[in-house]
Amino acid sequence: MRSSSNTSRYGLRTDCWALTISAANTIIKTLPSKQFPPDFIFGAATAAYQIEGAWDADGRGPSIWDHLVHTDPEHITNKDNGDVAANSYYNYKRDIEMLKELGVSHYRFSISWTRILPFGRAHYINQRGIDHYNKFIDELLANDIVPFATIYHWDLPQILQEHGGWLNEEIVDWFADYARIVFENFGDRIKFWMTINEPWVHCYFSYGYAVYAPKIRSPGVGFYECGRNMLLANARAYHIYNDEFRSTQGGKVGIDLNSEYVYPASDSIEDIEAAKDYLAFQFGQYMHPIFSKSGNYPQRLIHRVAAASTAQGYNSSRLRSFDEDQINYIKGTADFLGLNHYFTKYVYRNSSVIGMFDVPSTDDDTFADSYMDESWPSTHAPWIREHGPGLHHLLVHIKDSYDNPEVYIAENGVSTTTGLNDPTRVSYYRSYLRAVLEALADGCNVHGYFAWSLMDNFEWNFGYSHRFGLYEVDFQDPNRTRTPRKSAFVYREIIRSRTIDYEYDPDPYAGGSSVLTSSLLVLAIVVVAGLFS
């Protein structure tokens, strides 16, 4: 239990976020062992463009990522692309075998918009795409794996981008038509839906800073327009499900939001306010309109963008407001929160921030900069350092600020290079799963955890240079052979025992996936023997 209302179990003051991180890192290793609840969900996650391949097979149309990698290959590390990727379109049965080997109960995947609607709109439905996902979903269920589907994971049909993409308000209608089709065709078997994956990341890097497809640079206007349309699109899809499908299908619809956690760099008022602004501009931009009791954007976000817009000579705020009907239409449009979390930062605001950012931009509107503690373990990904307590604090923040909604950790993981021995990933998973246990002990309403990722995949601009997989994929092999890494064995053991055993040290080279399969067979024999003893 907490030692006081303003202090977490790590001795970290949550009222003003004056934090003793070194103490947290020491204490977390000595906490008594705890178990995950019997009904806590363990899963693995992927996304369509990153693993499926078969980019032009069976009537699939081109997405914005197909367009980018084919027209500007130099933009991607090693000129990699997702044309074949892990070839999961054809290897999906092996993927499901891997899920069985791990012992997960749920699989988070995304549906490719362009497989279903090659021309983006509902006037032509590709039956071969429908057939593929029907086979895939049926195979999951036949193996007792619950499908957890994302409707949109960044693979917008290129033809819709040519009409403005997420900067065109009509996309709310386009997305609604697409969502209705997947509900109609798959909702009898899919009971967990997430509408949109990481809207902040997609808008920031795709329509703000021209890093991801479709490479639109508009960090102070397009970024906000993209987000506004995504909130309205999520709401439309939610209401469609609620009005037309919920009574017969009985599923749930959520949204998948990313968030870092942030600590103020000092106990100064400036740094504390900077940390609050940072969370409001990233997480709060989407969380507050949907999950808060009042709805709408956070007031500090509204005020800061309006003030900056006025100072820059705009006649109105670059953050277009919602009217009262829209606020109420968006509020409450998620049955649960999918949360993607990878890292934590320190945030500060002082004179050094002046002139640092583009004007106008969301970064300049926030007017804060960040850094990571170099004492936190580094990883192959320069943007990720391991700091599990940050996830715990984020979950407590969600509980305290948004009436403790139902939460699923929809993505959490770290990249390595090639090789089966991945101690960095093992340490990372243990640290963040420990944080989930602590959040559960603090009363956070966390229902599940999905490891990112089931297998190595096309990691957007980084191509295949960053490997996030529990399973290594041999991209030089036409068969795209998958082999479990050490982290796969460790994750499997956590799922089996529902505890985190820091002493468990499997050898990933002692037989590959056959070891996983053999271990599961031995466990099954023991269970069956117990039934007849």
Side-chain angles (χ1 to χ4, degrees):
M1 299 299 292
R2 295 184 182 180
S3 56
S4 74
S5 60
N6 292 325
T7 307
S8 77
R9 67 180 59 251
Y10 301 136
L12 310 183
R13 287 165 48 202
T14 57
D15 53 344
C16 65
W17 294 355
L19 304 164
T20 54
I21 301 305
S22 60
N25 289 337
T26 300
I27 293 171
I28 194 168
K29 293 296 178 105
T30 60
L31 287 168
S33 176
K34 299 179 180 66
Q35 281 196 320
F36 289 93
D39 58 350
F40 188 86
I41 287 169
F42 286 102
T46 60
Y49 183 77
Q50 294 181 270
I51 65 164
E52 281 187 354
W55 78 276
D56 60 351
D58 292 341
R60 180 185 180 276
S63 72
I64 53 175
W65 275 96
D66 296 306
H67 181 77
L68 173 59
V69 300
H70 294 154
T71 60
D72 189 9
E74 291 79 9
H75 191 68
I76 310 299
T77 300
N78 300 322
K79 300 182 181 180
D80 291 335
N81 60 56
D83 289 2
V84 179
N87 214 17
S88 285
Y89 185 75
Y90 299 108
N91 290 334
Y92 69 90
K93 289 188 177 182
R94 171 60 185 136
D95 295 348
I96 294 171
E97 286 179 357
M98 289 148 54
L99 296 167
K100 292 288 286 184
E101 290 167 3
L102 289 171
V104 302
S105 59
H106 290 61
Y107 182 41
R108 182 198 167 198
F109 62 95
S110 75
I111 297 170
S112 169
W113 191 332
T114 59
R115 284 202 196 282
I116 305 299
L117 303 176
F119 304 104
R121 302 296 302 275
H123 67 282
Y124 174 76
I125 300 172
N126 179 29
Q127 187 59 44
R128 287 173 291 180
I130 299 289
D131 292 344
H132 167 74
Y133 286 111
N134 275 329
K135 289 187 299 183
F136 172 65
I137 293 165
D138 289 345
E139 187 75 12
L140 283 171
L141 294 171
N143 284 274
D144 299 317
I145 305 294
V146 178
F148 206 110
T150 307
I151 298 174
Y152 179 72
H153 199 126
W154 303 0
D155 50 357
L156 185 72
Q158 174 61 22
I159 194 168
L160 296 185
Q161 182 54 43
E162 292 166 5
H163 292 277
W166 285 103
L167 302 186
N168 184 342
E169 286 184 330
E170 290 185 33
I171 199 167
V172 178
D173 295 328
W174 304 339
F175 184 74
D177 291 342
Y178 166 48
R180 181 179 284 107
I181 289 167
V182 298
F183 292 151
E184 287 174 343
N185 283 275
F186 311 127
D188 59 326
R189 288 153 294 158
I190 294 178
K191 304 306 177 184
F192 292 93
W193 296 97
M194 289 192 290
T195 55
I196 298 171
N197 177 77
E198 294 186 344
W200 186 92
V201 173
H202 194 35
C203 292
Y204 186 88
F205 288 108
S206 301
Y207 294 90
Y209 283 97
V211 177
Y212 291 167
K215 288 184 64 180
I216 304 297
R217 185 174 180 84
S218 183
V221 179
F223 166 77
Y224 293 123
E225 283 295 295
C226 172
R228 188 178 192 278
N229 290 331
M230 284 193 164
L231 282 165
L232 289 167
N234 167 77
R236 181 74 68 81
Y238 180 88
H239 286 296
I240 286 171
Y241 190 84
N242 210 40
D243 297 343
E244 302 176 27
F245 299 99
R246 190 184 298 274
S247 62
T248 57
Q249 295 182 356
K252 293 182 177 182
V253 178
I255 189 170
D256 188 22
L257 305 182
N258 67 285
S259 186
E260 307 155 21
Y261 190 69
V262 293
Y263 302 128
S266 74
D267 59 1
S268 71
I269 295 298
E270 292 82 358
D271 287 351
I272 292 170
E273 287 300 306
K276 291 179 179 179
D277 287 341
Y278 196 98
L279 271 182
F281 269 76
Q282 186 190 81
F283 191 46
Q285 182 180 352
Y286 299 93
M287 190 71 183
H288 207 270
I290 297 172
F291 288 93
S292 73
K293 292 181 179 179
S294 60
N296 205 358
Y297 295 121
Q299 285 302 309
R300 63 176 58 237
L301 170 63
I302 294 171
H303 291 157
R304 289 193 66 85
V305 181
S309 300
T310 298
Q312 292 156 3
Y314 286 83
N315 293 326
S316 60
S317 177
R318 288 177 281 102
L319 177 69
R320 276 208 297 153
S321 62
F322 293 115
D323 62 33
E324 197 63 32
D325 287 342
Q326 289 171 324
I327 290 170
N328 291 325
Y329 188 73
I330 294 170
K331 185 169 58 176
T333 53
D335 299 318
F336 63 88
L337 169 66
L339 179 67
N340 294 0
H341 175 83
Y342 289 90
F343 53 86
T344 292
K345 291 181 177 179
Y346 284 98
V347 175
Y348 65 92
R349 176 181 291 149
N350 56 38
S351 60
S352 70
V353 180
I354 297 173
M356 182 177 290
F357 307 113
D358 290 346
V359 179
S361 70
T362 183
D363 294 315
D364 183 67
D365 295 336
T366 312
F367 198 63
D369 199 17
S370 62
Y371 64 90
M372 292 187 185
D373 190 328
E374 292 187 359
S375 70
W376 299 340
S378 62
T379 72
H380 178 59
W383 65 93
I384 299 177
R385 283 181 177 269
E386 178 193 310
H387 182 66
L391 176 56
H392 169 235
H393 295 306
L394 177 59
L395 291 168
V396 171
H397 169 73
I398 292 168
K399 175 178 77 76
D400 292 345
S401 302
Y402 297 103
D403 199 26
N404 207 14
E406 183 176 325
V407 176
Y408 296 85
I409 309 300
E411 285 184 26
N412 180 244
V414 70
S415 72
T416 58
T417 56
T418 56
L420 303 184
N421 190 22
D422 55 347
T424 299
R425 185 177 289 108
V426 168
S427 175
Y428 184 95
Y429 278 146
R430 284 171 170 166
S431 175
Y432 284 80
L433 282 165
R434 168 66 77 178
V436 174
L437 275 174
E438 293 307 311
L440 288 168
D442 276 345
C444 297
N445 193 18
V446 189
H447 285 235
Y449 176 95
F450 290 80
W452 183 272
S453 175
L454 175 61
M455 73 199 88
D456 291 340
N457 54 52
F458 177 80
E459 188 51 37
W460 310 117
N461 285 29
F462 294 99
Y464 302 104
S465 64
H466 282 267
R467 306 295 190 96
F468 276 85
L470 288 160
Y471 281 71
E472 180 173 70
V473 176
D474 184 352
F475 292 105
Q476 304 306 312
D477 181 353
N479 296 319
R480 297 302 195 266
T481 303
R482 292 101 152 96
T483 307
R485 291 190 166 100
K486 182 173 184 175
S487 56
F489 293 88
V490 170
Y491 189 45
R492 189 274 310 270
E493 179 60 18
I494 290 171
I495 295 169
R496 185 199 66 79
S497 66
R498 311 196 81 77
T499 62
I500 303 170
D501 181 359
Y502 288 94
E503 303 302 317
Y504 179 60
D505 188 29
D507 179 2
Y509 294 99
S513 61
S514 62
V515 175
L516 277 173
T517 305
S518 298
S519 298
L520 289 172
L521 180 60
V522 170
L523 177 62
I525 292 172
V526 169
V527 170
V528 172
L531 293 175
F532 293 96
S533 62

